[in-house]
Amino acid sequence: MNRAFPIQRNAQPQDVPLLLAPMAGFSDMSFRVLCKSLGCDLTVTEMVSAKGLFYGSQKTAELLETDPAERPVVMQIFGREPEIMADMAQCLAERYGEALLAIDINMGCPAPKITGNGEGSALMREPLLAGHIVETVAKKAGVPVTVKIRKGYDARHENAAEIARIAEDSGAAAITVHGRTREQMYAGSADYAAIAAVRAAVKIPVIGNGDVRDGDSALRLLRQTRCDGIMIGRGALGNPFVFSEVRAALRGETYTPPTWAERMETAVRHTRMTAANKGERGILELRKHIVYYLSGIPGAARLRTRLQNAETAEEMAQILLDTCNPR
C-alpha cells in the first residue's frame, strides 16, 4: 500500500469526515462535485463492474470520469472474481495516480441484477470468498482498499461484524456499514446497533451509513455507533446542502437552511453541470435527479410533470428559474 487512508479512528465530532455514498444512476461526477462544494469531504464514484472494465466497456469507463474539484476520489468496483478485481484495481491505480484515493469493494448492493450474479451484498453469504477478494485486491491495488457492506443478507444471516473482521484481517483499510439487510433493501429504519457492533469488532475505521438526512440524524448516528465517518446517500438527493447542515451540527453551530430561491438556483447549477459533462444524453438521468429538489414544495406535482416533459437541460433550467421569478 503506497498511501494511507485519511479517515482515522476516534476523531473529534467536529472533525468526523462526511462522505457521499455511491448511488447508481445518481452519484455521477456533476452531483459529486456539487456535494463537494457544499461540504462533502470525500466522494465515491458509482459502482463499476470489474468485469466491464476488464472487457473494455466504454459505458463502464465513463462512470469513472472525475473532476479536479473532487479529487482525490474513491472508486468503487464490484464483482466476484478476485483476480479480475485485483487486476482492474491495479489498472485504476496506475491510470488515475494521485487522483485516486482508494478502491472500495462493493459488498452491499441489494439490486437483484447484482445479487443474482453472486455480487454485491450476495458476497456476505460467502465469507471465505469475500475475504479472498479483499486480500487479493489489497495486495495488488497499490492504494488503500475499503469495503462497503450491509447489516447482513437477510434476517437469518446478520453477519456484518464477521465480514468486517474478515475484511480487516484481509487488508482492508476501512469499512462502511449500511444498517439494513439486503432483504430490507431501503425499507424500515437503519439499525445503528449493528453498525456499533461492527465498530466494536474491528480496529480499522468504520463509516456509518443509513437514514442520515439532517444534522440531528447525523448526531444520532455518531452518538449510537461512535463511527469514524458518516456516509450520506439518499438524504443528499435534492438536498446537497445536507453536508453543510451536518457539519454545522457536528461543530455545534447554528445552521440556516437555504431559501427556496437558493434551492432552485442550485438545481439549475446541477442541471447545467450535467449538460456540460454529458451533453443532452444526460437528460433522462437528470429528470429523475432534479425532481428531488421539489420535495415539500406547493405545486410540486405540476412542476415535476413539466420537468419530465422538458426536452433539453436548458428548458429544465428555465422551468426551475421561473419558480424563483414568476412572470
Side-chain angles (χ1 to χ4, degrees):
M1 188 179 297
N2 297 332
R3 66 192 74 159
F5 192 62
I7 297 179
Q8 304 298 317
R9 298 266 291 197
N10 303 317
Q12 294 299 309
Q14 64 269 22
D15 298 323
V16 169
L18 308 180
L19 298 86
L20 175 65
M23 295 177 285
F26 288 100
S27 300
D28 63 1
M29 182 171 64
S30 299
F31 190 55
R32 297 196 307 268
V33 170
L34 185 64
C35 289
K36 194 75 181 284
S37 73
L38 291 168
C40 176
D41 296 305
L42 293 175
T43 58
V44 187
T45 66
E46 298 174 72
M47 66 177 189
V48 297
S49 166
K51 192 175 290 185
L53 290 172
F54 180 77
Y55 287 110
S57 166
Q58 180 61 30
K59 185 176 181 181
T60 299
E62 288 174 357
L63 294 174
L64 295 175
E65 293 179 358
T66 67
D67 186 279
E70 64 167 336
R71 297 172 189 160
V73 300
V74 177
M75 294 182 174
Q76 189 185 74
I77 61 174
F78 73 93
R80 61 178 285 110
E81 296 86 358
E83 292 299 335
I84 289 179
M85 294 180 73
D87 287 345
M88 293 306 97
Q90 183 182 45
C91 285
L92 292 177
E94 293 172 352
R95 182 184 309 167
Y96 289 95
E98 294 301 315
L100 177 63
L101 178 66
I103 293 289
D104 188 62
I105 299 174
N106 184 304
M107 295 188 185
C109 179
K113 68 178 181 180
I114 302 297
T115 59
N117 293 326
E119 301 166 332
S121 58
L123 287 169
M124 295 190 71
R125 298 186 299 182
E126 301 182 72
L128 292 178
L129 176 59
H132 185 39
I133 288 172
V134 176
E135 182 177 19
T136 307
V137 175
K139 285 181 177 178
K140 204 165 189 177
V143 296
V145 172
T146 61
V147 184
K148 190 169 190 290
I149 64 173
R150 282 187 165 237
K151 176 182 174 180
Y153 190 79
D154 54 36
R156 298 176 301 281
H157 304 91
E158 295 181 0
N159 61 340
E162 175 194 4
I163 296 294
R165 283 191 293 266
I166 290 171
E168 179 180 36
D169 292 342
S170 301
I175 191 154
T176 300
V177 189
H178 183 121
R180 290 180 174 85
T181 64
R182 184 268 168 186
E183 186 177 53
Q184 286 180 280
M185 300 291 282
Y186 299 99
S189 299
D191 183 354
Y192 289 170
I195 300 174
V198 171
R199 177 61 165 62
V202 299
K203 294 182 174 62
I204 56 177
V206 173
I207 300 161
N209 177 219
D211 294 351
V212 176
R213 300 182 183 279
D214 51 30
D216 287 343
S217 56
L219 289 173
R220 185 164 58 252
L221 170 65
L222 193 60
R223 182 174 61 251
Q224 294 183 14
T225 69
R226 296 184 60 227
C227 61
D228 307 292
I230 297 173
M231 180 173 281
I232 304 174
R234 290 173 299 153
L237 297 180
N239 185 29
F241 313 97
V242 68
F243 294 100
S244 299
E245 179 178 359
V246 170
R247 181 57 66 200
L250 295 179
R251 291 174 176 168
E253 299 172 351
T254 300
Y255 172 71
T256 302
T259 63
W260 167 242
E262 288 170 335
R263 286 173 62 180
M264 291 303 97
E265 288 165 2
T266 301
V268 169
R269 180 185 169 199
H270 188 168
T271 299
R272 289 174 172 161
M273 286 170 65
T274 301
N277 291 330
K278 295 185 176 181
E280 293 303 328
R281 66 183 176 82
I283 189 70
L284 291 177
E285 291 181 20
L286 194 53
R287 283 172 179 162
K288 67 180 181 181
H289 224 311
I290 293 301
V291 294
Y292 279 95
Y293 286 90
L294 307 178
S295 178
I297 300 301
R302 179 179 57 82
L303 283 170
R304 278 195 290 268
T305 299
R306 290 182 64 196
L307 288 168
Q308 295 292 355
N309 291 331
E311 296 182 357
T312 67
E314 195 53 39
E315 185 180 348
M316 293 178 70
Q318 193 57 58
I319 292 169
L320 293 165
L321 286 172
D322 285 345
T323 67
C324 302
N325 304 293
R327 295 172 180 172

CSV table of all heavy atoms in Angstrom, one decimal, residues 146-188:
chain,number,residue,atom,x,y,z
A,146,THR,N,-11.0,-0.3,0.7
A,146,THR,CA,-12.0,-0.3,1.7
A,146,THR,C,-13.2,-1.2,1.2
A,146,THR,O,-13.2,-1.6,0.0
A,146,THR,CB,-12.5,1.1,1.9
A,146,THR,OG1,-13.1,1.6,0.6
A,146,THR,CG2,-11.4,2.0,2.3
A,147,VAL,N,-14.1,-1.5,2.1
A,147,VAL,CA,-15.2,-2.4,1.8
A,147,VAL,C,-16.5,-1.8,2.3
A,147,VAL,O,-16.6,-1.2,3.4
A,147,VAL,CB,-15.0,-3.8,2.4
A,147,VAL,CG1,-16.1,-4.7,2.0
A,147,VAL,CG2,-13.6,-4.3,2.1
A,148,LYS,N,-17.6,-1.9,1.5
A,148,LYS,CA,-18.9,-1.4,1.9
A,148,LYS,C,-19.8,-2.6,2.0
A,148,LYS,O,-20.0,-3.4,1.0
A,148,LYS,CB,-19.5,-0.4,0.9
A,148,LYS,CG,-20.8,0.3,1.4
A,148,LYS,CD,-21.2,1.4,0.5
A,148,LYS,CE,-22.3,2.3,1.1
A,148,LYS,NZ,-23.6,1.6,1.1
A,149,ILE,N,-20.4,-2.8,3.2
A,149,ILE,CA,-21.3,-4.0,3.4
A,149,ILE,C,-22.6,-3.5,4.0
A,149,ILE,O,-22.8,-2.3,4.2
A,149,ILE,CB,-20.6,-4.9,4.4
A,149,ILE,CG1,-20.5,-4.3,5.8
A,149,ILE,CG2,-19.3,-5.4,3.9
A,149,ILE,CD1,-20.0,-5.2,6.9
A,150,ARG,N,-23.5,-4.5,4.2
A,150,ARG,CA,-24.8,-4.2,4.9
A,150,ARG,C,-24.8,-4.9,6.2
A,150,ARG,O,-23.8,-5.6,6.6
A,150,ARG,CB,-25.9,-4.7,4.0
A,150,ARG,CG,-26.2,-3.7,2.9
A,150,ARG,CD,-27.5,-4.0,2.1
A,150,ARG,NE,-27.9,-2.9,1.4
A,150,ARG,CZ,-29.1,-2.3,1.5
A,150,ARG,NH1,-30.0,-2.8,2.3
A,150,ARG,NH2,-29.4,-1.2,0.7
A,151,LYS,N,-25.9,-4.8,6.9
A,151,LYS,CA,-26.1,-5.5,8.2
A,151,LYS,C,-26.0,-7.0,8.0
A,151,LYS,O,-25.6,-7.7,8.9
A,151,LYS,CB,-27.4,-5.0,8.8
A,151,LYS,CG,-27.9,-5.7,10.0
A,151,LYS,CD,-29.3,-5.2,10.4
A,151,LYS,CE,-29.9,-5.9,11.6
A,151,LYS,NZ,-31.2,-5.4,11.9
A,152,GLY,N,-26.4,-7.4,6.9
A,152,GLY,CA,-26.4,-8.8,6.5
A,152,GLY,C,-27.2,-9.1,5.3
A,152,GLY,O,-27.7,-8.1,4.7
A,153,TYR,N,-27.3,-10.3,4.8
A,153,TYR,CA,-28.0,-10.6,3.6
A,153,TYR,C,-29.5,-10.6,3.9
A,153,TYR,O,-30.3,-10.0,3.2
A,153,TYR,CB,-27.6,-11.9,3.0
A,153,TYR,CG,-28.2,-12.1,1.6
A,153,TYR,CD1,-27.7,-11.5,0.5
A,153,TYR,CD2,-29.4,-12.9,1.4
A,153,TYR,CE1,-28.2,-11.6,-0.8
A,153,TYR,CE2,-29.9,-13.0,0.2
A,153,TYR,CZ,-29.4,-12.4,-0.9
A,153,TYR,OH,-29.9,-12.5,-2.2
A,154,ASP,N,-29.9,-11.2,5.0
A,154,ASP,CA,-31.3,-11.2,5.4
A,154,ASP,C,-31.3,-11.4,7.0
A,154,ASP,O,-30.3,-11.4,7.6
A,154,ASP,CB,-32.1,-12.3,4.7
A,154,ASP,CG,-31.5,-13.7,4.9
A,154,ASP,OD1,-30.9,-14.0,6.0
A,154,ASP,OD2,-31.6,-14.5,4.0
A,155,ALA,N,-32.6,-11.5,7.5
A,155,ALA,CA,-32.7,-11.5,9.0
A,155,ALA,C,-32.1,-12.7,9.6
A,155,ALA,O,-31.7,-12.8,10.8
A,155,ALA,CB,-34.2,-11.5,9.3
A,156,ARG,N,-31.9,-13.8,8.8
A,156,ARG,CA,-31.3,-15.0,9.3
A,156,ARG,C,-29.8,-15.0,9.2
A,156,ARG,O,-29.1,-15.9,9.8
A,156,ARG,CB,-31.9,-16.2,8.5
A,156,ARG,CG,-33.4,-16.4,8.7
A,156,ARG,CD,-33.9,-17.5,7.8
A,156,ARG,NE,-33.6,-17.3,6.4
A,156,ARG,CZ,-34.3,-16.5,5.6
A,156,ARG,NH1,-35.3,-15.8,6.1
A,156,ARG,NH2,-34.0,-16.4,4.3
A,157,HIS,N,-29.3,-14.1,8.5
A,157,HIS,CA,-27.8,-14.0,8.3
A,157,HIS,C,-27.3,-12.6,8.5
A,157,HIS,O,-26.9,-11.9,7.5
A,157,HIS,CB,-27.5,-14.5,6.9
A,157,HIS,CG,-28.0,-15.9,6.6
A,157,HIS,ND1,-29.2,-16.1,6.0
A,157,HIS,CD2,-27.4,-17.1,6.8
A,157,HIS,CE1,-29.4,-17.4,5.8
A,157,HIS,NE2,-28.3,-18.0,6.3
A,158,GLU,N,-27.4,-12.1,9.7
A,158,GLU,CA,-26.9,-10.8,10.0
A,158,GLU,C,-25.4,-10.9,10.5
A,158,GLU,O,-25.2,-11.0,11.7
A,158,GLU,CB,-27.8,-10.1,11.1
A,158,GLU,CG,-29.2,-9.9,10.5
A,158,GLU,CD,-30.1,-9.2,11.5
A,158,GLU,OE1,-29.7,-8.9,12.7
A,158,GLU,OE2,-31.3,-9.0,11.2
A,159,ASN,N,-24.5,-10.9,9.6
A,159,ASN,CA,-23.1,-11.2,9.9
A,159,ASN,C,-22.2,-10.1,9.6
A,159,ASN,O,-21.0,-10.3,9.2
A,159,ASN,CB,-22.7,-12.5,9.1
A,159,ASN,CG,-22.8,-12.3,7.6
A,159,ASN,OD1,-23.5,-11.4,7.1
A,159,ASN,ND2,-22.1,-13.1,6.9
A,160,ALA,N,-22.6,-8.8,9.7
A,160,ALA,CA,-21.8,-7.7,9.4
A,160,ALA,C,-20.5,-7.7,10.2
A,160,ALA,O,-19.4,-7.4,9.6
A,160,ALA,CB,-22.5,-6.4,9.6
A,161,ALA,N,-20.5,-8.0,11.5
A,161,ALA,CA,-19.3,-8.0,12.3
A,161,ALA,C,-18.3,-9.1,11.8
A,161,ALA,O,-17.1,-8.8,11.8
A,161,ALA,CB,-19.7,-8.2,13.8
A,162,GLU,N,-18.8,-10.2,11.5
A,162,GLU,CA,-18.0,-11.3,11.0
A,162,GLU,C,-17.3,-10.9,9.7
A,162,GLU,O,-16.0,-11.0,9.5
A,162,GLU,CB,-18.8,-12.6,10.7
A,162,GLU,CG,-18.0,-13.7,10.1
A,162,GLU,CD,-18.8,-14.8,9.6
A,162,GLU,OE1,-20.1,-14.7,9.6
A,162,GLU,OE2,-18.2,-15.8,9.1
A,163,ILE,N,-18.0,-10.3,8.7
A,163,ILE,CA,-17.5,-9.9,7.5
A,163,ILE,C,-16.5,-8.8,7.7
A,163,ILE,O,-15.4,-8.7,7.0
A,163,ILE,CB,-18.6,-9.5,6.5
A,163,ILE,CG1,-19.5,-10.7,6.2
A,163,ILE,CG2,-18.0,-8.9,5.2
A,163,ILE,CD1,-18.8,-11.8,5.4
A,164,ALA,N,-16.8,-7.9,8.6
A,164,ALA,CA,-15.9,-6.8,8.9
A,164,ALA,C,-14.5,-7.3,9.4
A,164,ALA,O,-13.5,-6.8,9.0
A,164,ALA,CB,-16.5,-5.8,9.9
A,165,ARG,N,-14.6,-8.3,10.3
A,165,ARG,CA,-13.3,-8.8,10.9
A,165,ARG,C,-12.5,-9.5,9.8
A,165,ARG,O,-11.3,-9.4,9.7
A,165,ARG,CB,-13.6,-9.8,12.0
A,165,ARG,CG,-14.0,-9.1,13.3
A,165,ARG,CD,-14.0,-10.2,14.4
A,165,ARG,NE,-15.1,-11.1,14.3
A,165,ARG,CZ,-16.3,-11.0,14.8
A,165,ARG,NH1,-16.6,-9.9,15.6
A,165,ARG,NH2,-17.2,-11.9,14.7
A,166,ILE,N,-13.2,-10.2,8.9
A,166,ILE,CA,-12.5,-10.9,7.8
A,166,ILE,C,-11.9,-9.8,6.9
A,166,ILE,O,-10.7,-10.0,6.4
A,166,ILE,CB,-13.5,-11.8,7.0
A,166,ILE,CG1,-13.9,-13.0,7.8
A,166,ILE,CG2,-13.0,-12.2,5.7
A,166,ILE,CD1,-15.1,-13.8,7.2
A,167,ALA,N,-12.6,-8.8,6.6
A,167,ALA,CA,-12.1,-7.7,5.7
A,167,ALA,C,-10.9,-7.1,6.3
A,167,ALA,O,-9.9,-6.8,5.7
A,167,ALA,CB,-13.2,-6.7,5.5
A,168,GLU,N,-10.9,-6.8,7.6
A,168,GLU,CA,-9.8,-6.2,8.3
A,168,GLU,C,-8.6,-7.2,8.3
A,168,GLU,O,-7.5,-6.8,7.9
A,168,GLU,CB,-10.1,-6.0,9.8
A,168,GLU,CG,-9.0,-5.4,10.6
A,168,GLU,CD,-9.4,-5.1,12.0
A,168,GLU,OE1,-10.2,-5.9,12.6
A,168,GLU,OE2,-8.9,-4.1,12.6
A,169,ASP,N,-8.8,-8.5,8.6
A,169,ASP,CA,-7.7,-9.4,8.5
A,169,ASP,C,-7.1,-9.6,7.1
A,169,ASP,O,-6.0,-10.0,7.0
A,169,ASP,CB,-8.2,-10.8,9.1
A,169,ASP,CG,-8.5,-10.8,10.5
A,169,ASP,OD1,-8.1,-9.8,11.2
A,169,ASP,OD2,-9.2,-11.7,11.0
A,170,SER,N,-7.9,-9.3,6.1
A,170,SER,CA,-7.5,-9.5,4.7
A,170,SER,C,-6.9,-8.2,4.1
A,170,SER,O,-6.5,-8.2,3.0
A,170,SER,CB,-8.7,-9.9,3.9
A,170,SER,OG,-9.3,-11.1,4.4
A,171,GLY,N,-6.8,-7.2,4.9
A,171,GLY,CA,-6.1,-6.0,4.5
A,171,GLY,C,-6.9,-4.7,4.2
A,171,GLY,O,-6.3,-3.7,3.7
A,172,ALA,N,-8.2,-4.8,4.5
A,172,ALA,CA,-9.0,-3.6,4.3
A,172,ALA,C,-8.5,-2.4,5.2
A,172,ALA,O,-8.2,-2.6,6.4
A,172,ALA,CB,-10.5,-3.9,4.6
A,173,ALA,N,-8.6,-1.2,4.7
A,173,ALA,CA,-8.1,0.0,5.4
A,173,ALA,C,-9.3,0.6,6.2
A,173,ALA,O,-9.1,1.4,7.2
A,173,ALA,CB,-7.5,1.0,4.5
A,174,ALA,N,-10.5,0.3,5.8
A,174,ALA,CA,-11.7,0.9,6.4
A,174,ALA,C,-12.9,0.1,5.9
A,174,ALA,O,-12.8,-0.6,4.9
A,174,ALA,CB,-11.9,2.4,6.1
A,175,ILE,N,-14.0,0.2,6.6
A,175,ILE,CA,-15.2,-0.5,6.2
A,175,ILE,C,-16.4,0.4,6.4
A,175,ILE,O,-16.5,1.2,7.4
A,175,ILE,CB,-15.4,-1.8,7.0
A,175,ILE,CG1,-16.5,-2.7,6.4
A,175,ILE,CG2,-15.7,-1.6,8.5
A,175,ILE,CD1,-16.3,-4.1,6.6
A,176,THR,N,-17.4,0.4,5.5
A,176,THR,CA,-18.6,1.2,5.6
A,176,THR,C,-19.7,0.2,5.8
A,176,THR,O,-19.8,-0.8,5.1
A,176,THR,CB,-18.9,2.0,4.3
A,176,THR,OG1,-17.8,2.9,4.1
A,176,THR,CG2,-20.2,2.8,4.4
A,177,VAL,N,-20.6,0.5,6.7
A,177,VAL,CA,-21.8,-0.4,7.0
A,177,VAL,C,-23.1,0.4,6.9
A,177,VAL,O,-23.3,1.4,7.5
A,177,VAL,CB,-21.7,-0.9,8.5
A,177,VAL,CG1,-22.8,-1.9,8.7
A,177,VAL,CG2,-20.3,-1.4,8.8
A,178,HIS,N,-23.9,-0.2,6.0
A,178,HIS,CA,-25.3,0.3,5.9
A,178,HIS,C,-26.1,-0.5,6.8
A,178,HIS,O,-26.1,-1.8,6.7
A,178,HIS,CB,-25.8,0.2,4.4
A,178,HIS,CG,-27.2,0.7,4.2
A,178,HIS,ND1,-27.5,1.7,3.3
A,178,HIS,CD2,-28.4,0.4,4.8
A,178,HIS,CE1,-28.8,2.0,3.3
A,178,HIS,NE2,-29.3,1.2,4.2
A,179,GLY,N,-26.9,0.1,7.7
A,179,GLY,CA,-27.6,-0.6,8.7
A,179,GLY,C,-28.8,-1.3,8.4
A,179,GLY,O,-29.8,-1.3,9.2
A,180,ARG,N,-28.9,-1.9,7.2
A,180,ARG,CA,-30.1,-2.7,6.7
A,180,ARG,C,-29.5,-3.9,6.1
A,180,ARG,O,-28.4,-4.0,5.6
A,180,ARG,CB,-30.9,-1.9,5.7
A,180,ARG,CG,-31.7,-0.7,6.2
A,180,ARG,CD,-32.5,-0.1,5.1
A,180,ARG,NE,-33.4,1.0,5.6
A,180,ARG,CZ,-33.0,2.2,5.8
A,180,ARG,NH1,-31.8,2.6,5.5
A,180,ARG,NH2,-33.9,3.1,6.2
A,181,THR,N,-30.4,-5.0,6.0
A,181,THR,CA,-30.0,-6.2,5.3
A,181,THR,C,-30.4,-6.0,3.9
A,181,THR,O,-31.1,-5.1,3.5
A,181,THR,CB,-30.8,-7.4,5.9
A,181,THR,OG1,-32.2,-7.2,5.6
A,181,THR,CG2,-30.6,-7.6,7.4
A,182,ARG,N,-29.9,-6.9,3.1
A,182,ARG,CA,-30.2,-6.9,1.6
A,182,ARG,C,-31.7,-7.1,1.5
A,182,ARG,O,-32.3,-6.5,0.6
A,182,ARG,CB,-29.4,-8.0,0.9
A,182,ARG,CG,-29.6,-8.0,-0.6
A,182,ARG,CD,-30.7,-8.9,-1.1
A,182,ARG,NE,-31.1,-8.6,-2.5
A,182,ARG,CZ,-32.1,-9.2,-3.1
A,182,ARG,NH1,-32.9,-10.0,-2.4
A,182,ARG,NH2,-32.3,-8.9,-4.3
A,183,GLU,N,-32.3,-8.0,2.3
A,183,GLU,CA,-33.7,-8.3,2.2
A,183,GLU,C,-34.5,-7.0,2.4
A,183,GLU,O,-35.6,-6.9,1.8
A,183,GLU,CB,-34.0,-9.3,3.3
A,183,GLU,CG,-35.4,-9.9,3.3
A,183,GLU,CD,-35.6,-11.0,4.3
A,183,GLU,OE1,-35.3,-10.7,5.5
A,183,GLU,OE2,-36.0,-12.1,4.0
A,184,GLN,N,-34.1,-6.1,3.3
A,184,GLN,CA,-34.8,-4.9,3.6
A,184,GLN,C,-34.8,-3.9,2.4
A,184,GLN,O,-35.6,-3.0,2.3
A,184,GLN,CB,-34.3,-4.2,4.8
A,184,GLN,CG,-34.6,-4.9,6.1
A,184,GLN,CD,-34.0,-4.2,7.3
A,184,GLN,OE1,-32.8,-4.3,7.6
A,184,GLN,NE2,-34.8,-3.3,8.0
A,185,MET,N,-33.7,-4.0,1.6
A,185,MET,CA,-33.5,-3.0,0.6
A,185,MET,C,-33.3,-1.7,1.3
A,185,MET,O,-32.3,-1.5,2.0
A,185,MET,CB,-34.6,-3.0,-0.5
A,185,MET,CG,-34.7,-4.3,-1.2
A,185,MET,SD,-33.4,-4.7,-2.3
A,185,MET,CE,-33.8,-3.7,-3.7
A,186,TYR,N,-34.3,-0.7,1.1
A,186,TYR,CA,-34.2,0.6,1.7
A,186,TYR,C,-35.4,0.8,2.6
A,186,TYR,O,-35.7,2.0,3.0
A,186,TYR,CB,-34.1,1.7,0.7
A,186,TYR,CG,-32.8,1.5,-0.2
A,186,TYR,CD1,-32.9,0.9,-1.4
A,186,TYR,CD2,-31.6,1.9,0.3
A,186,TYR,CE1,-31.7,0.7,-2.2
A,186,TYR,CE2,-30.4,1.7,-0.4
A,186,TYR,CZ,-30.5,1.1,-1.6
A,186,TYR,OH,-29.4,0.9,-2.4
A,187,ALA,N,-36.1,-0.2,3.0
A,187,ALA,CA,-37.3,-0.1,3.8
A,187,ALA,C,-36.9,-0.1,5.3
A,187,ALA,O,-35.9,-0.5,5.7
A,187,ALA,CB,-38.3,-1.3,3.5
A,188,GLY,N,-37.9,0.3,6.1
A,188,GLY,CA,-37.7,0.3,7.5
A,188,GLY,C,-36.6,1.3,7.9
A,188,GLY,O,-36.2,2.2,7.2
